[in-house]
Amino acid sequence: MNALGTDKGAEGESEIQEGADQYAEARFAPGVVAPGAYSAAWAQLQSLRKTGGSWTDETALPYNSDDTRYRDINSNSSGGSGMVSGRITGLAADDSGYVYGGAANGGVFRSRTGGGKWEPISDKLPSPATGDLRLDGKGRLWYATGEANTSSTAFIGSGVYLLADPRHGEFQPGSRVGGAELESTIISKLRFNGDTVWAATNRGVWSHSTTDLSGPWKQEFAPNPDYLPGGALAKAPNAPYKNIANDVAFDPKDPSKVILAVGWRSGDAYNGFYTKQGDTWQRTTLAGDIASDAANVGAVTWTASADGSKYYAIEQSPTKMATNPDSGLQGIFVSDSGSPFGPWKQIADYKKLAASGSALDFPGYRPGVQSWYNQFLQVDPADPKHVYLGLEEVFETTDAGATWTTPGPYWNFGFPCWSIDPKKQTGDCNQTTHPDQHSVTIGKYNGKSVVIVGNDGGAYRRPVRGAADASGHATDWTSLNDGTMDTLQYYSVGVGLDKTIGRNDDKGRTYGPSVAISGGLQDNGQSIKRPGDKVMGSNFGGDGGDTIVDPTNGCNIAEEYVYLAMSVTNNCAVNDGSWTTDPSKVSSRSIAPPDNETGAARFIAPFTYDAKDSKTWIAGGQHVWVQHKGWDIQSGADWSSLFDLGAGHTATAVAVSGGMAYVGWCGPCNNQGFTRGIAVGNTDGTGWHQLTLPIDGAVPNRYISGFDVDPANANHVFVAINGFSRRWTEGPGAGVGHLFESRDAGATWTDISGNLPDVPADTVKVLRGGALVLGTDLGVFYRAPGRTEWTVLGRNLPTTTTMQIKTDPFGLKLYAATHGRGIWSYDLGQLDD
């Protein structure tokens, strides 16, 4: 809940976990995916023909979370984050103004101007997921793929890559360090120790020479090797969480002394610190205040001062995460000996940080509540007592932790300087950063030292020794999110005619209507781009889930927060904030179906309208809901239940055409007893039944992620299946194939995957004339009418996950919502078939 009293606050702890889990479940159920799956799919992709034409990045422009046009009840506009982009999980900078940013699922970008004017430099690699990004002592850039911030196996990588000349070059597939040992891992940290680089991964700790880049990575330590690929327990449901390593520390006085921080965020018997005793790694107890027991060692981040005089640590506690509703933070610690062996002294807990100017000083959400997800530490190279700390907010100490300030508060809501005044960005407060911190670096720009932080909203910069107001909040943050690093993580897209704005030719003459483009985003609300916009706005806050837009009026928008918490607006949610004094002036209203209240819906739950009747909508939780008022729906009471999918079952995909609906579901949805199904029926309530889908039948026992229906025949339907085929998935009924067709309303199915790569499929679209488009985790594919061969659609879509594909109101242009590189469009007139 935000400070305005609505339920559209920023993303909460449980929501981050649920979002990551849902993304992972779709790709890995019913079992465990073997290493090499994505790389094999990438190799298949390279062999396919490509159609003509190019994609256009529709969201390659600044995205203003504080857009003064959209100060409605469910917006976070005026919170102070300003221009935002997608999650930045790796940062590196030099002393000449070069900055490198790695996105959660969007690859690496380079800036030559201290941040901003970004250019992609890793688009030729098979994995766009960033685990860590480091410059070594020779100025080489190391890119560890596979994001570890969620501790989920969702955004896995393909290894570690090296760029020898990062100021000019681009990463190449052949620049991978070592062999395939780190494929399909997530990597939390890269650390350098002499001529060796160490990698903390979800399959233990590995090392490699930094001088001889050939040869395999060496497995240094795995606490539970039986659970690794090829081990006796590799197929166990909890195998992905039995060998998680978080960081590596070296004693600066004796670099041969190494400490490993190992453990699963929610706790496990193997959690703890390990050092090498002879030839084996043994659990060790560190001296001082820092916890070393399995119950309290969770996610850990270490950093050392440049002069070797101090070591600092963040420690998250599984016990506190489970028992303390306010925070999971064990504490912030310093070793004044300069050794990671200690003795360690606690210099902050969540209460001390909450009292330091934090915006999170209220019950149930205090600093460190998401410390399993939000962590960074950076020591000022010029001052060992000057430290930047990242949790949900950015904290700073100049006296080695004796006192703290909060230069980057979560938001400005609730502060005396804040107001919703549409003439100002964030009242009389200063720009802050987006919440949820992940990465940090210090470099120089125009000869001056700057600190750059990365979070769920992109990257922000300020002087290392910056200015602050009397509350300790910085007055000098600069957003580096100028639209050139489009790493926005969309779940959905919707397009409709914008009747209030016409398109202009080069002489300024209006010559007809254009479209408004809306989309739901991970932790960046709902974006809207209207004709003529040079800056996108945010009209709904928090997470943005599924989206539908009236094709005849792009300002009729229905959007989801999470768990079917749906809202609708009839004016694009344009508002000047006057609803705060006159509630009748609110521009959107809640229309959540009852499954939202009971929690019987997926984190990102599906809904849509009838392709033949946009007044008829269906939404899926445990129940299939219908309403017939279209964009005039007033409340959740307007929904009625069509069908109960069954206890423990929740909808994953929906489609409806001409009154016939298809609903895919799962339950359980993880690899512990995964089950899936499809229900079919009519929107008038008749004919509902479950299809017979044997576990080893034609349709694989994997996650059902999308449907589309032939507009000429409602019995003719296509279903997209997520996950990997049985070659890679060690689970019951994984089967083969990713796209299936039925001409008898699901009674029988045919695999039409053909020459598609074996990669998770997310969304399918039927085009006029019978052509098909399929969105996957690696690209978008096209099958011409009457053909069986699949080709890559277009020549320039970046490698990332395409979550949803829609067409414009005329069926002439595709819009693809990617989960890491924004929304892209493709003019179908470019096809030559």
Side-chain angles (χ1 to χ4, degrees):
M1 182 171 288
N2 67 23
L4 302 180
T6 75
D7 64 355
K8 298 297 179 68
E11 192 176 40
E13 176 192 5
S14 64
E15 293 162 9
I16 293 169
Q17 293 183 49
E18 285 289 337
D21 289 346
Q22 179 171 325
Y23 191 95
E25 287 166 359
R27 284 147 183 83
F28 293 89
V32 177
V33 174
Y38 274 103
S39 291
W42 171 261
Q44 289 178 279
L45 173 70
Q46 304 313 303
S47 68
L48 296 186
R49 292 192 307 111
K50 295 183 179 180
T51 71
S54 299
W55 291 83
T56 298
D57 187 351
E58 294 286 351
T59 49
L61 69 168
Y63 175 32
N64 189 0
S65 67
D66 292 322
D67 195 314
T68 59
R69 295 173 291 178
Y70 305 110
R71 300 247 155 132
D72 198 24
I73 187 171
N74 287 324
S75 171
N76 285 337
S77 178
S78 74
S81 295
M83 302 300 180
V84 297
S85 190
R87 186 162 75 243
I88 298 300
T89 53
L91 283 166
D94 65 16
D95 289 342
S96 299
Y98 284 83
V99 181
Y100 308 94
N105 203 31
V108 181
F109 289 75
R110 172 176 57 218
S111 170
R112 306 170 193 269
T113 57
K117 298 181 180 178
W118 303 92
E119 56 184 339
I121 59 172
S122 66
D123 281 358
K124 296 177 182 178
L125 299 184
S127 174
T130 300
D132 201 5
L133 202 59
R134 301 272 171 177
L135 284 168
D136 67 14
K138 298 178 180 179
R140 300 177 301 176
L141 185 63
W142 294 72
Y143 177 35
T145 63
E147 190 211 358
N149 289 284
T150 63
S151 295
S152 169
T153 53
F155 299 105
I156 61 175
S158 55
V160 176
Y161 297 84
L162 179 65
L163 184 55
D165 182 12
R167 295 185 181 183
H168 304 98
E170 295 185 23
F171 286 101
Q172 303 291 332
S175 65
R176 187 168 70 176
V177 177
E181 300 79 29
L182 300 187
E183 278 198 20
S184 301
T185 64
I186 56 175
I187 300 177
S188 176
K189 293 288 190 301
L190 292 179
R191 297 293 189 185
F192 299 103
N193 187 22
D195 60 0
T196 302
V197 59
W198 294 62
T201 83
N202 66 324
R203 296 212 299 265
V205 179
W206 300 71
S207 68
H208 201 283
S209 169
T210 61
T211 56
D212 180 3
L213 304 178
S214 62
W217 285 80
K218 176 186 176 183
Q219 176 90 69
E220 293 284 352
F221 176 64
N224 296 293
D226 284 349
Y227 290 88
L228 294 173
L233 298 174
K235 296 182 181 181
N238 60 345
Y241 311 107
K242 298 296 286 186
N243 287 285
I244 291 176
N246 295 295
D247 208 346
V248 183
F250 315 101
D251 191 325
K253 297 181 177 64
D254 184 357
S256 67
K257 295 181 178 179
V258 182
I259 305 177
L260 313 180
V262 175
W264 167 230
R265 71 186 187 206
S266 298
D268 201 304
Y270 73 90
N271 285 32
F273 300 117
Y274 293 78
T275 59
K276 205 163 191 179
Q277 311 283 333
D279 293 330
T280 62
W281 292 90
Q282 302 288 335
R283 191 188 301 271
T284 190
T285 298
L286 302 183
D289 296 337
I290 197 167
S292 296
D293 59 303
N296 287 298
V297 178
V300 172
T301 297
W302 277 315
T303 193
S305 63
D307 66 356
S309 66
K310 295 184 183 297
Y311 237 99
Y312 294 88
I314 305 172
E315 185 175 46
Q316 172 257 339
S317 163
T319 297
K320 286 183 169 56
M321 178 180 170
T323 61
N324 183 358
D326 287 342
S327 178
L329 182 67
Q330 180 73 14
I332 312 301
F333 304 88
V334 65
S335 169
D336 288 322
S337 70
S339 169
F341 289 85
W344 289 93
K345 176 177 67 177
Q346 185 164 358
I347 53 176
D349 60 12
Y350 77 93
K351 293 178 181 178
K352 183 174 183 177
L353 295 174
S356 71
S358 166
L360 300 183
D361 191 13
F362 52 87
Y365 211 84
R366 289 195 164 102
V369 69
Q370 296 173 183
S371 52
W372 59 269
Y373 174 67
N374 305 135
Q375 290 194 14
F376 74 55
L377 273 175
Q378 177 70 54
V379 184
D380 182 348
D383 183 353
K385 294 183 177 181
H386 185 200
V387 181
Y388 278 91
L389 160 68
L391 295 169
E392 299 78 24
E393 305 166 288
V394 180
F395 299 95
E396 182 181 12
T397 179
T398 57
D399 52 17
T403 60
W404 293 86
T405 59
T406 312
Y410 196 85
W411 51 24
N412 290 325
F413 295 131
F415 293 143
C417 56
W418 174 83
S419 80
I420 203 169
D421 184 352
K423 298 183 181 66
K424 300 178 179 180
Q425 177 191 352
T426 180
D428 292 325
C429 300
N430 292 289
Q431 160 98 52
T432 184
T433 70
H434 192 286
D436 296 340
Q437 312 305 317
H438 300 291
S439 53
V440 63
T441 190
I442 287 178
K444 288 187 177 180
Y445 177 55
N446 290 334
K448 297 181 179 179
S449 292
V450 293
V451 60
I452 302 169
V453 301
N455 47 51
D456 274 12
Y460 297 77
R461 183 188 70 213
R462 72 183 294 240
V464 168
R465 291 282 184 174
D469 62 20
S471 299
H473 303 151
T475 61
D476 48 9
W477 285 112
T478 297
S479 170
L480 304 180
N481 309 306
D482 58 4
T484 58
M485 183 166 59
D486 183 4
T487 57
L488 292 168
Q489 293 177 271
Y490 282 93
Y491 292 111
S492 61
V493 62
V495 182
L497 295 177
D498 196 322
K499 294 184 176 181
T500 63
I501 305 175
R503 292 184 297 176
N504 297 325
D505 62 16
D506 57 4
K507 296 182 179 179
R509 297 173 297 194
T510 299
Y511 63 95
S514 189
V515 295
I517 305 169
S518 293
L521 291 146
Q522 186 270 328
D523 206 17
N524 278 301
Q526 185 88 3
S527 73
I528 182 166
K529 175 187 174 184
R530 303 185 70 182
D533 275 358
K534 291 184 167 51
V535 175
M536 293 193 299
S538 178
N539 50 4
F540 294 89
D543 273 291
D546 210 350
T547 303
I548 56 174
V549 174
D550 184 349
T552 67
N553 182 352
C555 278
N556 284 337
I557 304 165
E559 69 89 41
E560 175 188 24
Y561 175 40
V562 290
Y563 304 111
L564 281 182
M566 295 173 61
S567 297
V568 68
T569 179
N570 302 120
N571 75 336
C572 290
V574 171
N575 200 292
D576 62 2
S578 57
W579 64 271
T580 56
T581 55
D582 183 355
S584 69
K585 293 184 178 180
V586 70
S587 298
S588 58
R589 53 197 181 274
S590 174
I591 57 165
D595 279 351
N596 167 250
E597 185 68 24
T598 62
R602 297 288 281 163
F603 176 73
I604 303 297
F607 58 91
T608 192
Y609 57 77
D610 190 320
K612 300 292 182 66
D613 175 14
S614 63
K615 288 188 175 181
T616 296
W617 301 3
I618 62 168
Q622 177 183 320
H623 302 83
V624 182
W625 300 94
V626 66
Q627 69 92 6
H628 298 284
K629 295 184 177 180
W631 311 99
D632 293 327
I633 182 174
Q634 296 300 306
S635 72
D638 290 327
W639 295 94
S640 59
S641 178
L642 287 172
F643 188 66
D644 187 341
L645 296 172
H649 298 169
T650 50
T652 60
V654 298
V656 57
S657 181
M660 178 175 283
Y662 298 86
V663 181
W665 56 265
C666 64
C669 296
N670 57 25
N671 59 6
Q672 301 182 45
F674 176 82
T675 307
R676 55 82 178 99
I678 298 174
V680 181
N682 301 309
T683 55
D684 63 5
T686 63
W688 279 92
H689 62 285
Q690 295 276 11
L691 297 182
T692 300
L693 295 177
I695 194 171
D696 56 355
V699 177
N701 184 41
R702 304 201 309 270
Y703 194 94
I704 295 168
S705 56
F707 293 101
D708 203 17
V709 183
D710 183 345
N713 178 4
N715 289 321
H716 187 196
V717 61
F718 300 86
V719 60
I721 304 296
N722 217 294
F724 290 92
S725 295
R726 60 176 172 238
R727 177 187 175 190
W728 302 105
T729 301
E730 300 167 342
V736 174
H738 294 278
L739 187 64
F740 295 80
E741 177 182 24
S742 175
R743 295 180 179 271
D744 51 16
T748 60
W749 294 91
T750 301
D751 183 358
I752 60 169
S753 304
N755 61 322
L756 283 169
D758 184 3
V759 67
D762 303 291
T763 179
V764 60
K765 188 66 184 172
V766 182
L767 304 182
R768 290 176 181 174
L772 293 174
V773 175
L774 184 70
T776 74
D777 276 11
L778 284 181
V780 176
F781 301 94
Y782 173 77
R783 196 185 79 171
R787 306 280 184 85
T788 59
E789 179 194 19
W790 290 90
T791 56
V792 178
L793 184 60
R795 298 183 177 276
N796 63 323
L797 187 67
T799 300
T800 190
T801 301
T802 298
M803 298 292 284
Q804 195 174 83
I805 292 175
K806 301 276 183 70
T807 59
D808 72 357
F810 309 107
L812 301 177
K813 184 179 285 190
L814 291 177
Y815 290 84
T818 76
H819 201 63
R821 291 295 289 269
I823 294 173
W824 292 66
S825 67
Y826 181 88
D827 188 335
L828 293 169
Q830 299 176 101
L831 292 170
D832 53 14
D833 55 24

